[in-house]
Amino acid sequence: MAEEVWVGTWRPHRPRGPIMALYSGPGPKYLIPPTTGFMKHTPTKLRAPAYSFRGAPMLLAENCSPGPRYSVNPKILRTGKDIGPAYSILGRYHTKTTLTPGPGDYFPEKSTKYVFDSAPSHSISARTKTFRVDSTPGPAAYVLPVEMGARTVGKTSQPSFSIKGRSKLGSFRDDLHKTPGPAAYRQTDVQLTKLKAPQYTMAARVEPPGDKTLKPGPGAHSPEKVTLTRPCAPVVTFGIKHSDYMTPLVVDVE
């Protein structure tokens, strides 16, 4: 008989019977029916009479018929359609047939293990997920307590020291009066109580006020194109120098 392994004060073993942890339930997903209102009231409580707030019913019109707006086929009589025999161009109707299995679809040689008794055999299949009986934790699921240090369980540990910063509460630096020191006050400016010395500022040059619009220069004017004091601007023409109707001056030279 193998030696039994104990994990602390607990010995791993299989449960003697099925427990609720082995079954997978839907969990708390059900809603308790309300005890107020009329719809979906809980059947375990008495429901008081309720009244509905509805408007007044609509008054029906005296004449609710649509009137003579239907176009009745003249070939339709009281006894049915009044026409002679006729032929229609339609396709042939398809009859739905149900496919039934034939003799070759059955395998009677495989029914031996279902009809006759057979020895137990093992199958190579995957593990089922709906019902697992081996869901108990194993030895590797537990962590044993430490045996060294200041946090041992079930044993006496030696005093140890921790490396921490100095606490401000209760030390020699603790200010019990909570009063400000000399460095907490700001030094008063001397120029507020005595004569103020001259100071110089590094500011930009002050420009005198004036008109900063752009003025036209001498090259922007064209005096040769002025027509306010003259009939027209001076122009250059390509004509003859003397008139043909003027008598030329003839000087006789002896």
Side-chain angles (χ1 to χ4, degrees):
M1 183 176 180
E3 185 180 357
E4 296 181 351
V5 179
W6 287 76
V7 179
T9 59
W10 178 80
R11 178 175 59 87
H13 63 279
R14 289 185 174 273
R16 298 183 178 87
I19 58 177
M20 295 302 298
L22 302 178
Y23 298 93
S24 57
K29 69 175 184 178
Y30 301 98
L31 298 178
I32 300 176
T35 57
T36 59
F38 188 82
M39 302 299 294
K40 298 181 180 180
H41 194 275
T42 175
T44 59
K45 300 292 183 179
L46 295 177
R47 182 174 59 183
Y51 302 93
S52 60
F53 295 89
R54 301 183 63 180
M58 296 178 60
L59 296 178
L60 300 178
E62 297 179 357
N63 187 9
C64 299
S65 61
R69 66 177 184 179
Y70 301 100
S71 85
V72 182
N73 192 356
K75 296 182 180 181
I76 302 297
L77 303 178
R78 180 175 58 85
T79 57
K81 186 179 290 186
D82 185 18
I83 56 174
Y87 298 93
S88 61
I89 306 175
L90 295 176
R92 180 176 296 177
Y93 292 97
H94 296 280
T95 304
K96 295 183 179 179
T97 57
T98 304
L99 297 178
T100 56
D105 294 335
Y106 299 97
F107 300 93
E109 64 275 2
K110 295 183 179 180
S111 63
T112 306
K113 61 180 180 179
Y114 300 103
V115 178
F116 302 99
D117 295 335
S118 59
S121 59
H122 301 277
S123 61
I124 304 176
S125 61
R127 180 177 296 177
T128 58
K129 296 182 180 180
T130 55
F131 185 79
R132 297 178 59 183
V133 297
D134 53 348
S135 58
T136 55
Y142 300 94
V143 179
L144 297 178
V146 295
E147 299 293 337
M148 300 177 62
R151 298 181 179 181
T152 57
V153 178
K155 292 187 178 181
T156 304
S157 60
Q158 297 296 329
S160 57
F161 301 93
S162 60
I163 304 176
K164 292 185 177 180
R166 180 177 294 174
S167 177
K168 295 182 179 180
L169 182 62
S171 63
F172 66 93
R173 296 188 305 168
D174 188 12
D175 188 5
L176 301 178
H177 297 283
K178 302 295 181 182
T179 55
Y185 299 95
R186 186 178 60 180
Q187 184 179 3
T188 306
D189 192 1
V190 182
Q191 297 182 2
L192 297 178
T193 57
K194 295 184 179 181
L195 297 178
K196 187 175 182 180
Q199 297 179 353
Y200 301 94
T201 59
M202 300 177 63
R205 182 176 295 176
V206 180
E207 297 182 359
D211 190 6
K212 296 183 180 181
T213 58
L214 296 178
K215 307 298 189 300
H221 301 278
S222 300
E224 65 277 2
K225 298 181 181 180
V226 177
T227 58
L228 297 177
T229 59
R230 297 181 181 182
C232 64
V235 295
V236 181
T237 60
F238 294 90
I240 58 178
K241 189 174 183 181
H242 303 285
S243 176
D244 294 340
Y245 302 99
M246 184 181 293
T247 303
L249 179 61
V250 179
V251 180
D252 296 336
V253 178
E254 295 179 357

